[in-house]
């Protein structure tokens, strides 16, 4: 049984003239242990798709099956990492990370233990009591990541997680994310990442889904067979990047 | 970040402010020698519908006169304050104090002062215009100051590079830069002005026994005589004027003002949608259509006139400039003379008043202050008790927020003072006492400020934070605790500061009410002030009650609200 199955998902939004379709008839499955990247031009509904998977938004039509069951409301086995970090400015780093644990009714001392484990994993030691506004962008996204990992989700959803960061910070964080994902002691083995940076998708993912714009449809479903660690300067890397690029350009 | 003043500095600030206010107060009384309120006679008021248009016209003219004065004052004051650090250091704290002082308390003093200047009705009219002016001028002046201060440096340098100075600089750069904030604050001031206009008309007709023809006195009289029909017609007339002004003047003006906005300085003020029309629309589309058809020609004419007027094109004449320079010197000299003489007279009067034998009632002032504070707290608690749940409901349901906002806007822009006669008479009839009525009246002066600020705060909670708490599965209660309440805290503090300002003003009106020649009063600072003003005429008591009120207001502002504000903006700001 696949971990996640999207069946004929469509979503439209009310608009000045009737409704605006954002996603149309989108179907795909995600198997256990996969790192899937979803790429497409802006306005292709990839963020909307992520919110439908999480249960933040309902599809206009179609079904989302998680482990064979229809998703109803928020799927608490998922955790979302935001492009804008979405940290509570009035909570310390530690309190932000404990947010999801508190929601799941984890006892205070257990909360603390787990928070400190993930603070350690993402390299935030010494910043436990800092407030988000005192941190750099890269550090903030580390908090966002730790907050998502701390609830130990089966499926990690990432919405353009490195797009708001400068290029050098993004490179570091990508490497750290890969390390975490390959770390067998980590409970997360599935990631769906939405991005518009094609190189990022090629570097990280096992599989790349390409969406077209207006409305979003599935254009291609590519396996990435390149061996890890992947090197941007190698032949295969660029060939795949070019291929994804031309797929998007054809449909734009 | 600005350096925060220490407590000692704050305390000194309070003391200096008190001294200045005491002298200004004494100045009023220094001029009251000839003026007794006893021999004031106004025109007789008629509670009939045929007189209503005239009364509405009188009120409207008073508002207009005060607004024009406030507009001129704010531009001059704001530009001067923005001129340099030295000006700023004196003129900004002055506004801060003027804003936090309960102006209604000064109305009787203003009557004394202006009636001694010009006898009879004209004096009272001047006092009323002055009171409305004081409720309108400060925020507008601050708006001008901020506009000039936040002018991008390159614009200033560009003009300087072209050698543009003086008048040209004023009309091409400074004045246009002020327009957006000035228009926005004008709308706020206009709403505040109504509140104080009605208040002073009620005071005039009530305790001061002077009939100032206007909507407020008409409402008071109608309530006094138990004429419900006329009372409701009067309220409707008031509502009609407010809505018409909004549609004909303020709406086109705020659209026009948008032209002057710097593109890179994004609008931080909530753009005022015509919420009132939305409400009318939900009442009945026909009403809306009729209203639109009625106002369109007028609004269109104004709109065209504004559109065809290039911003501040004025005659550029050397002779004009020379004349202006002479007038300016004359003005400054006169102003200096008046201020010096006033301060001197005031200080002498202050000393003379303080040397009078102190009446035994002075000893009751602390207890009265306590009683009034308790009433304020009760009204504040009621305000919070309904506005916070409303704000939370609005945060959970955008539909509720969309319905609530225009409704609150229309009710909130009705001057609550217009409802005072109705509330007092009803409560006195039901409970036989004044205490509950007093708290309710304070409430009407407080609650809208809290609500509006909370609704503005709710609308600014970032969508991604809301998504984050939902995505992590926070319960409703946890969402309130972790997101909604912390997010609205800064707005709550800002709203509370304004609400307490409004509350102090309402307090003076609320503790002492004359109805059918019977005086209803409670034990409190406001009542004590009114008693001294209208009954005993004891100058020392007026001075001391006003001073203790100003003292409490300043101390609360500096030691409580300012601190809470610092904390709220420091920690609960959404700016990550």
């Amino acid at each position: 049984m696949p971990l996640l199955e999207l069946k004929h998902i469509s979503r439209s939004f009310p608009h000045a003239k009737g409704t605006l379709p954002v996603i149309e008839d989108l179907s795909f499955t995600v198997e256990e242990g996969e790192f899937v990247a979803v790429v497409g031009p802006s306005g292709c509904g990839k963020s909307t798709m992520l919110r439908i998977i999480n249960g933040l938004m309902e599809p206009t039509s179609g079904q989302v099956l998680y482990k064979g069951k229809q998703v109803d409301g928020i799927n608490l086995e998922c955790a979302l990492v935001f492009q804008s970090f979405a940290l509570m400015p009035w909570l310390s780093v530690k309190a932000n990370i404990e947010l999801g644990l508190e929601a799941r009714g984890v006892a205070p001392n257990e909360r603390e233990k787990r928070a400190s484990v993930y603070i350690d994993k993402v390299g935030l030691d010494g910043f436990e009591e800092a407030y988000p506004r005192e941190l750099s962008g890269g550090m903030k996204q580390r908090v966002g990541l730790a907050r998502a990992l701390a609830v130990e989700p089966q499926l990690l959803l990432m919405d353009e997680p490195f797009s708001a960061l400068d290029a050098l910070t993004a490179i570091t964080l990508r490497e750290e994310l890969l390390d975490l994902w390959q770390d067998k002691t980590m409970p997360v083995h599935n990631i769906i990442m939405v991005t518009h940076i094609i190189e990022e998708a090629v570097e990280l993912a096992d599989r790349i889904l390409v969406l077209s714009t207006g409305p979003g449809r599935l254009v291609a479903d590519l396996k990435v067979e390149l061996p890890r660690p992947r090197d941007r300067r190698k032949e295969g890397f660029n060939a795949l990047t070019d291929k994804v690029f031309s797929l998007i350009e054809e449909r734009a | 970040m600005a350096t925060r003043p220490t407590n000692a500095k704050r305390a000194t600030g309070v003391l200096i402010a008190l001294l200045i206010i005491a002298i200004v107060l004494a100045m009023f009384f220094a001029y009251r020698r000839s003026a007794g309120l006893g021999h004031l006679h106004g025109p007789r008021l008629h509670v009939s519908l045929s007189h209503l248009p005239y009364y509405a016209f009188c009120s409207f003219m008073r508002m207009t006169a005060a607004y024009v004065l406030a507009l001129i004052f704010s531009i001059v004051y704001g530009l001067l304050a923005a001129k340099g650090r030295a000006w700023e250091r004196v003129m900004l704290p002055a506004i801060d104090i003027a804003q936090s002082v309960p102006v209604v308390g000064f109305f009787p003093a203003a009557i004394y002062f202006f009636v001694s200047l010009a006898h009879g009705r004209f004096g009272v009219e001047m006092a009323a215009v002055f009171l409305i002016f004081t409720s309108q001028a400060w925020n507008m002046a601050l708006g001008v100051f901020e506009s000039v201060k936040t002018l991008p440096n390159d614009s200033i340098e560009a003009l300087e590079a072209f050698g543009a100075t003086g008048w040209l600089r004023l009309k091409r750069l400074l004045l246009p830069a002020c327009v957006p904030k000035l228009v926005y604050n004008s709308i706020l001031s206009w709403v505040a002005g109504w509140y104080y206009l009605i208040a002073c008309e009620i005071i005039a007709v009530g305790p001061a026994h002077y009939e100032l023809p206007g909507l407020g006195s008409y409402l008071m009289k109608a309530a006094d005589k138990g004429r419900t029909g006329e009372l409701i017609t009067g309220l409707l007339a008031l509502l009609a004027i407010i809505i018409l002004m909004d549609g004909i003047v303020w709406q086109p003006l705020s659209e026009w003002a948008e032209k002057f906005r710097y593109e890179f300085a994004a609008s931080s003020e909530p753009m005022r949608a015509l919420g009132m029309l939305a409400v009318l629309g939900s009442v009945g589309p026909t009403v809306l259509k009729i209203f639109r058809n009625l106002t369109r020609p007028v609004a269109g004419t104004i709109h065209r006139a504004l559109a065809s007027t290039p911003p501040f094109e004025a005659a550029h004449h050397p002779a004009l400039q020379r004349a202006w320079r002479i007038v300016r010197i004359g003005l400054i000299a006169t102003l200096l003379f008046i201020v010096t003489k006033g301060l001197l007279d005031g200080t002498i009067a202050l000393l003379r008043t303080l040397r009078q034998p102190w009446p035994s009632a002075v000893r009751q002032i602390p207890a009265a202050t306590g009683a009034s504070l308790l009433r304020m707290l009760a009204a504040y608690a009621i305000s919070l008790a309904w506005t916070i749940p409303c704000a939370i409901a609005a945060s959970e349901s955008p539909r509720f927020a969309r319905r609530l906002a225009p409704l609150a806007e229309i009710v909130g822009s009705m001057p609550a003072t217009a409802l005072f006669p109705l509330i007092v008479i009803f409560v006195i009839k039901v409970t036989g006492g004044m205490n509950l009525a007093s708290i309710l009246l304070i409430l009407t002066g407080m609650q809208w400020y809290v609500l509006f600020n909370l609704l503005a705060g709710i609308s600014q909670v970032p969508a991604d934070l809301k998504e984050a708490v939902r995505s992590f599965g926070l319960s409703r209660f946890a969402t309130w605790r972790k997101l909604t309440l912390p997010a609205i805290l800064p707005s709550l503090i800002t709203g509370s500061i304004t609400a307490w300002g409004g509350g102090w003003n309402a307090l003076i009106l609320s503790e002492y009410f004359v109805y059918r020649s019977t005086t209803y009063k409670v034990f409190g600072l406001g009542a004590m002030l009114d008693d001294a003003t209208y009954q005993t005429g004891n100058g020392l008591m007026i001075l001391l009650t006003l001073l203790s009120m100003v003292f409490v207001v300043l101390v609360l502002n500096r030691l409580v609200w300012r601190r809470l504000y610092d904390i709220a903006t420091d920690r609960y700001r959404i700016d990550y």
Side-chain angles (χ1 to χ4, degrees):
Chain A
M1 184 173 42
L3 178 78
L4 182 76
E5 193 171 3
L6 269 69
K7 282 183 163 173
H8 310 290
I9 294 289
S10 294
R11 169 78 204 199
S12 51
F13 288 101
H15 190 252
K17 291 173 203 145
T19 56
L20 183 73
V22 173
I23 299 178
E24 209 167 75
D25 196 25
L26 184 65
S27 302
F28 63 87
T29 57
V30 175
E31 298 299 330
E32 186 73 41
E34 270 187 316
F35 189 142
V36 180
V38 182
V39 298
S42 59
C44 71
K46 48 194 195 296
S47 289
T48 306
M49 177 205 79
L50 213 56
R51 278 155 181 75
I52 290 172
I53 295 173
N54 193 190
L56 280 167
M57 218 181 253
E58 280 185 13
T60 315
S61 66
Q63 267 187 318
V64 179
L65 298 179
Y66 181 81
K67 291 183 178 166
K69 279 196 211 114
Q70 182 156 2
V71 172
D72 183 26
I74 304 288
N75 183 353
L76 288 179
E77 291 190 15
C78 299
L80 186 54
V81 175
F82 292 79
Q83 177 178 6
S84 59
F85 324 130
L87 306 175
M88 307 292 141
W90 38 82
L91 297 182
S92 67
V93 165
K94 198 160 130 272
N96 261 299
I97 293 172
E98 286 182 21
L99 200 64
L101 298 172
E102 223 177 320
R104 282 160 181 73
V106 178
N109 49 355
E110 171 66 20
R111 252 179 3 224
E112 204 148 318
K113 233 189 285 168
R114 270 219 251 167
S116 60
V117 168
Y118 288 97
I119 283 172
D120 185 51
K121 287 266 187 209
V122 301
L124 278 169
D125 299 285
F127 289 95
E128 288 86 349
E129 298 307 322
Y131 287 92
R133 74 170 55 88
E134 298 157 5
L135 303 178
S136 65
M139 293 302 262
K140 281 179 199 165
Q141 195 55 300
R142 285 194 168 91
V143 181
L145 192 58
R147 179 175 68 178
L149 292 175
V151 301
E152 307 194 334
Q154 298 266 313
L155 175 59
L156 185 65
L157 303 171
M158 307 185 89
D159 185 11
E160 307 247 10
F162 309 126
S163 300
L165 305 173
D166 67 83
L168 291 176
T169 312
I171 289 174
T172 321
L173 275 177
R174 266 179 221 132
E175 280 168 8
E176 290 183 22
L177 178 69
L178 266 187
D179 286 346
L180 286 169
W181 184 62
Q182 288 166 339
D183 181 346
K184 289 299 156 209
T185 64
M186 296 287 290
V188 182
H189 302 298
N190 305 284
I191 298 179
I192 300 180
M193 176 194 276
V194 156
T195 181
H196 66 262
I197 307 168
I198 294 163
E199 290 84 355
E200 184 171 282
V202 175
E203 186 188 336
L204 299 175
D206 296 325
R207 208 176 132 202
I208 298 176
L209 302 178
V210 183
L211 297 193
S212 67
T213 184
R217 285 198 195 89
L218 191 60
V219 176
D221 184 344
L222 308 167
K223 277 250 178 287
V224 186
E225 312 275 10
L226 301 171
R228 296 175 194 272
R230 292 173 186 157
D231 191 337
R232 281 165 182 261
R233 281 155 301 193
K234 289 267 171 65
E235 194 59 31
F237 193 98
N238 285 330
L240 191 56
T241 313
D242 289 346
K243 189 175 173 190
V244 176
F245 236 121
S246 53
L247 275 169
I248 292 174
E249 271 194 332
E250 267 169 41
R251 309 286 167 146
Chain B
M1 193 189 289
T3 49
R4 254 179 253 152
T6 59
N7 286 341
K9 262 191 193 157
R10 276 183 179 152
T12 335
V14 171
L15 280 180
I16 292 173
L18 274 179
L19 194 68
I20 294 171
I21 287 164
I23 293 174
V24 171
L25 265 179
M27 263 161 71
F28 280 125
F29 296 110
Y31 290 98
R32 71 181 273 216
R33 284 173 291 241
S34 58
L37 280 180
H39 55 265
L40 280 177
H41 298 290
R44 272 202 61 74
L45 270 175
H46 302 274
V47 184
S48 70
L49 292 184
S50 57
H51 286 81
L52 186 57
Y54 171 66
Y55 293 151
F57 175 75
C58 284
S59 291
F60 186 76
M61 285 318 286
R62 243 164 252 146
M63 278 287 285
T64 311
Y67 172 72
V68 170
L69 284 178
L71 186 65
I72 297 168
F73 169 85
S74 63
I75 292 174
V76 174
Y77 195 97
L79 288 180
L80 276 181
K83 220 172 160 138
R85 293 293 300 166
W87 290 89
E88 185 183 327
R89 216 163 287 152
V90 182
M91 291 175 89
L92 275 197
I95 282 195
D96 196 30
I97 292 163
Q99 255 186 335
S100 51
V101 158
V103 269
V104 172
F106 290 84
F107 182 56
I111 293 186
Y112 283 136
F113 180 74
F114 285 104
V115 168
S116 73
L117 278 185
H119 284 269
R121 177 168 170 193
F122 192 60
V124 183
E125 290 282 3
M126 276 165 72
V129 168
F130 173 75
L131 181 79
I132 303 163
F133 166 85
T134 54
S135 71
Q136 293 182 329
W138 317 125
N139 57 325
M140 287 164 67
L142 269 183
V144 171
F145 170 78
E146 279 168 13
S147 309
V148 176
K149 270 288 171 190
T150 53
L151 255 181
N153 236 332
D154 46 1
S155 312
I156 300 172
E157 281 169 354
L159 263 191
E160 272 167 8
F162 288 120
T165 49
W167 175 239
L168 191 64
R169 183 180 139 99
L170 190 69
K171 82 175 184 200
R172 283 282 178 247
L173 178 69
L174 301 182
L175 289 182
C178 297
V179 168
K181 280 209 159 121
L182 205 49
V183 168
Y184 174 77
N185 278 297
S186 290
I187 296 174
L188 295 187
S189 286
W190 190 262
V191 171
W194 275 113
Y195 186 94
Y196 294 102
L197 170 76
I198 305 286
C200 64
E201 286 175 0
I202 288 176
I203 293 177
V205 80
H209 308 294
Y210 184 89
E211 314 213 321
L212 200 55
L215 269 176
S217 38
Y218 169 88
L219 291 173
M220 185 63 206
K221 271 267 163 171
D224 198 42
K225 294 201 165 136
R227 305 269 284 273
T228 322
E230 278 84 353
L231 186 66
I232 289 168
T233 326
L235 285 173
L236 287 178
L238 177 61
L239 190 62
I241 295 178
I242 291 174
I243 294 179
L244 278 172
M245 269 303 283
D246 205 73
I248 295 176
V249 179
W250 300 125
Q251 209 51 38
L253 258 182
S254 33
E255 274 167 37
W256 174 71
E258 280 302 298
K259 285 204 297 192
F260 294 88
R261 215 181 263 287
Y262 277 94
E263 265 173 90
F264 43 85
S267 153
S268 60
E269 286 127 11
M271 259 322 287
R272 231 175 87 94
L274 195 48
M276 298 185 185
L277 283 184
V279 171
L280 285 181
S282 68
V283 171
T286 25
V287 184
L288 182 69
K289 205 185 269 171
I290 291 169
F291 180 80
R292 282 250 164 87
N293 285 337
L294 273 176
T295 56
R296 190 178 294 136
V298 191
T301 317
I302 293 175
H303 212 111
R304 269 193 301 281
L306 286 173
S308 63
T309 318
F312 305 105
E313 192 69 63
H316 184 61
H317 233 274
L320 215 76
Q321 283 188 338
R322 221 171 303 128
W324 166 238
R325 206 167 300 144
I326 295 166
V327 170
R328 197 165 56 181
I329 292 168
L331 276 177
I332 290 173
T334 326
L335 202 69
L336 268 180
F337 174 73
I338 293 176
V339 170
T340 323
K341 182 161 165 29
L343 278 179
L344 260 169
D345 285 359
T347 318
I348 295 168
L350 180 68
L351 293 174
R352 200 178 293 148
T353 316
L354 287 175
R355 268 178 41 213
Q356 278 173 5
W358 288 35
S360 59
V362 170
R363 259 175 271 131
Q364 288 179 350
I365 287 182
T369 310
S372 290
L373 257 179
L374 282 181
R375 256 174 231 120
M376 294 276 289
L377 276 174
Y380 182 58
I382 299 173
S383 305
L384 293 188
W386 77 268
T387 52
I388 292 181
C390 255
I392 289 177
S395 78
E396 286 175 354
S397 153
R399 217 165 100 214
F400 177 70
R402 269 200 302 278
R403 297 228 169 121
L404 183 67
L407 194 72
E409 194 177 320
I410 196 170
V411 182
S413 60
M414 271 292 274
T417 35
L419 300 174
F420 276 22
L422 211 65
I423 296 173
V424 173
I425 288 156
F426 181 73
V427 176
I428 287 178
K429 264 190 191 145
V430 173
T431 66
M434 186 66 193
N435 235 325
L436 181 62
S438 173
I439 292 172
L440 284 180
L441 296 191
I442 300 170
L443 180 67
T444 62
M446 275 187 159
Q447 56 193 0
W448 301 115
Y449 296 111
V450 186
L451 182 69
F452 287 140
N453 276 286
L454 286 185
L455 288 182
I458 283 292
S459 68
Q460 283 159 9
V461 178
D464 60 343
L465 292 190
K466 287 192 230 170
E467 269 189 339
V469 297
R470 275 187 63 211
S471 149
F472 281 101
L474 262 70
S475 67
R476 212 167 157 201
F477 181 64
T479 305
W480 296 350
R481 222 160 34 93
K482 298 283 177 191
L483 177 64
T484 317
L485 290 177
I488 60 177
L489 202 68
S491 323
L492 180 65
I493 304 292
T494 321
S496 299
I497 294 173
T498 336
W500 275 74
W504 284 110
N505 275 307
L507 179 84
I508 297 162
L509 291 167
S510 74
E511 292 190 334
Y512 186 98
F513 215 88
V514 180
Y515 165 56
R516 297 203 176 181
S517 350
T518 314
T519 304
Y520 292 89
K521 57 181 170 181
V522 285
F523 178 67
L525 202 55
M528 228 169 199
L529 170 65
D530 293 333
D531 221 20
T533 315
Y534 308 119
Q535 297 283 319
T536 60
N538 188 322
L540 181 67
M541 278 303 287
I542 301 177
L543 188 68
L544 289 176
T545 43
L546 266 179
L547 271 183
S548 42
M549 191 174 295
V550 173
F551 178 74
V552 174
V553 171
L554 287 180
V555 165
L556 276 180
N557 273 357
R558 302 276 149 143
L559 299 186
V560 179
W561 292 121
R562 194 61 64 83
R563 269 188 203 180
L564 286 177
Y565 184 79
D566 285 346
I567 295 172
T569 49
D570 209 39
R571 226 179 115 191
Y572 294 92
R573 190 164 32 115
I574 300 176
D575 70 336
Y576 57 88

